[in-house]
Amino acid sequence: MAIEAFNGILQIIFRILAASWWFVLPFILLPVFLDFWLMAIRFKYISKIKWNLLEIKIPREILKTPKAMELVFAATYSLYDSKKFVDIWWKGEMQLWMSFEMTGHAGGIRFYARVPAAFRNMIESAIYSQYPDIEIVEAEDYVDALPSVLPNKVYDLWGNNFILAKPNAYPIQTYPFFEDITKEKRLDPVAVITEALSKTKDDEMSWIQLLIRPVGDSWKKEGEALVSKLIGRKTKKERTILEDLGVFFGNLIKAPFTSPVWPDGEQKEGPATNLGSLTPGERDVVAAVENKISKLGFESILRFVYIDKADAFTKSNVSSVFGAIRQFTTQHLNGFKFDSPTTTKADPPFKARKTYIRKRRIFDSYRWRLFPFFLKPKTLPILNTEELATIYHFPTTFVEAPTLKHLDSKRGEPPAELPIATDNE
């Protein structure tokens, strides 16, 4: 009997599906169609963007702290543009981004910025306003000096993306920690990075890439919720429509017996009731989170690629770069960790094939400098201007990496009243 009843239920379900597939199927396929549609129109939009790769030549003496670079990153927030529905779903427009890069090879350490051509004047003005002695020139893309497909029989590579170890609202260790009132004791966090990059020899290349694009205020709301949780502040929890309907029907059922009860939305987030009950360490965490969300935020991709000849490939310089990245980590706040799917190391089965695919993917990602443009992209780390300036800024006078390329002479400007000869003279 049970089997016959089960078969009867299956037959009913099959009949319903057979009669209504034409109505149900479009709803099932709609998300797939939207994914492919958005990918296609966004790829078309991205392919039309014109880019400039700028090499930033630094002088031998830079006395400014990373605070100057923080102001540069704050100026780049002008890229932010709140897109309308038509712009997103018909034109394929998406938020523009920039790439800031450091490269190390036998020829020395160099700094680059890859920016949309429409914003070149903006970024140059922002940099010159803080670093007037710097020289910015348009450069050929150094990636093009290598074959478009890596690894191959000549070159091998190792690469990885870094992501935050904790939620975005927790900050990494930033440059104020490294600074000291006394000049002789001042530390520059980029010194460890440039020292690691300077170890490359002959055909070795170490590249660090920092992709950034500005984001709105939604991540700040998450940070405010985290602060409320840490200090035990009562917050009003926003209910969904389904939750409201559940409360409504619950009251409707109980109406003959009890009066309706409507939740006020107040929710206790933690055990603490005031700041005085927090330990000094907990207060430091709260202050650090509040400081981070008080500044402009950027979705970020921090990427590292190491390339060498295949017959002499060694990862001896990889660990030094990882050590440089670890200096931004603190146990009670945040830090960087490997983004496992991007690491060029795979597990069995088919280890060799999967490793090759990952290497191809990380090199192509570095080469094309793209942000994910799918319908539901992976959540990316959000860093504020202070954190970005800590990772990427121009070395101060105290940094003495042996292969750091300096600007030997400053380019002068002509006098304002210099007479100009015309064709008639």
Side-chain angles (χ1 to χ4, degrees), residues 190-257:
V190 84
V192 185
I193 298 177
T194 55
E195 184 66 27
L197 295 179
S198 69
K199 299 297 183 182
T200 52
K201 302 175 183 178
D202 300 329
D203 297 312
E204 295 177 312
M205 287 160 275
S206 292
W207 299 342
I208 294 178
Q209 183 181 81
L210 180 62
L211 293 171
I212 64 170
R213 65 180 176 190
V215 294
D217 295 334
S218 58
W219 74 281
K220 294 183 179 181
K221 295 179 180 179
E222 296 176 6
E224 292 169 354
L226 176 60
V227 170
S228 297
K229 179 179 180 180
L230 292 173
I231 66 176
R233 178 188 297 156
K234 291 184 178 181
T235 58
K236 181 174 289 187
K237 181 182 177 182
E238 296 183 2
R239 297 190 304 272
T240 64
I241 296 177
L242 291 178
E243 289 175 332
D244 286 336
L245 288 175
V247 173
F248 172 78
F249 284 110
N251 285 325
L252 184 63
I253 295 172
K254 299 176 183 178
F257 311 102

Side-chain angles (χ1 to χ4, degrees), residues 25 40 45 52 58 93 113 136 141 170 176 197 204 248 287 323 325 379 387:
L25 189 61
Y45 170 76
N52 290 135
I58 61 177
E93 294 183 4
I136 303 175
D141 196 341
Y170 288 99
L197 295 179
E204 295 177 312
F248 172 78
I325 299 299
T379 302
E387 293 172 302

Side-chain angles (χ1 to χ4, degrees), residues 147-412:
S148 59
V149 177
L150 287 185
N152 55 24
K153 294 181 179 180
V154 179
Y155 289 100
D156 199 358
L157 65 90
W158 201 99
N160 181 79
N161 286 1
F162 294 94
I163 57 176
L164 291 176
K166 293 182 181 180
N168 288 321
Y170 288 99
I172 63 172
Q173 190 155 259
T174 55
Y175 68 83
F177 171 83
F178 298 92
E179 293 180 347
D180 195 282
I181 298 176
T182 306
K183 284 187 177 181
E184 287 75 16
K185 294 183 180 179
R186 183 181 297 167
L187 303 175
D188 189 342
V190 84
V192 185
I193 298 177
T194 55
E195 184 66 27
L197 295 179
S198 69
K199 299 297 183 182
T200 52
K201 302 175 183 178
D202 300 329
D203 297 312
E204 295 177 312
M205 287 160 275
S206 292
W207 299 342
I208 294 178
Q209 183 181 81
L210 180 62
L211 293 171
I212 64 170
R213 65 180 176 190
V215 294
D217 295 334
S218 58
W219 74 281
K220 294 183 179 181
K221 295 179 180 179
E222 296 176 6
E224 292 169 354
L226 176 60
V227 170
S228 297
K229 179 179 180 180
L230 292 173
I231 66 176
R233 178 188 297 156
K234 291 184 178 181
T235 58
K236 181 174 289 187
K237 181 182 177 182
E238 296 183 2
R239 297 190 304 272
T240 64
I241 296 177
L242 291 178
E243 289 175 332
D244 286 336
L245 288 175
V247 173
F248 172 78
F249 284 110
N251 285 325
L252 184 63
I253 295 172
K254 299 176 183 178
F257 311 102
T258 61
S259 301
V261 178
W262 304 100
D264 57 6
E266 293 291 327
Q267 185 178 22
K268 187 80 174 295
E269 291 286 3
T273 57
N274 56 66
L275 290 176
S277 64
L278 300 178
T279 66
E282 290 171 336
R283 286 196 292 269
D284 290 343
V285 172
V286 172
V289 172
E290 289 184 328
N291 178 68
K292 175 167 183 176
I293 64 177
S294 69
K295 300 189 177 186
L296 300 173
F298 294 77
E299 278 186 318
S300 308
I301 297 177
L302 181 59
R303 181 177 290 132
F304 168 65
V305 171
Y306 171 75
I307 302 173
D308 194 7
K309 288 289 186 68
D311 56 359
F313 187 84
T314 173
K315 295 191 292 184
S316 59
N317 289 327
V318 171
S319 58
S320 60
V321 174
F322 289 164
I325 299 299
R326 284 191 177 278
Q327 68 179 319
F328 307 122
T329 299
T330 55
Q331 295 294 333
H332 67 303
L333 292 175
N334 215 336
F336 291 106
K337 66 177 183 179
F338 296 163
D339 185 12
S340 298
T342 67
T343 303
T344 53
K345 180 181 179 182
D347 297 321
F350 311 112
K351 179 178 179 180
R353 182 60 182 173
K354 289 191 292 186
T355 299
Y356 173 78
I357 293 174
R358 288 190 175 193
K359 290 180 179 181
R360 283 285 307 273
R361 187 185 301 140
I362 196 75
F363 180 73
D364 290 342
S365 298
Y366 192 105
R367 181 168 177 255
W368 292 107
R369 303 169 172 97
L370 291 178
F371 267 95
F373 52 92
F374 299 99
L375 181 62
K376 295 180 180 179
K378 180 180 178 180
T379 302
L380 298 172
I382 295 180
L383 304 175
N384 69 5
T385 52
E386 184 176 302
E387 293 172 302
L388 295 177
T390 302
I391 300 169
Y392 186 97
H393 62 268
F394 309 124
T396 62
T397 305
F398 309 102
V399 178
E400 299 180 355
T403 60
L404 186 61
K405 300 296 290 184
H406 289 288
L407 184 63
D408 293 326
S409 60
K410 181 182 177 182
R411 182 173 58 185

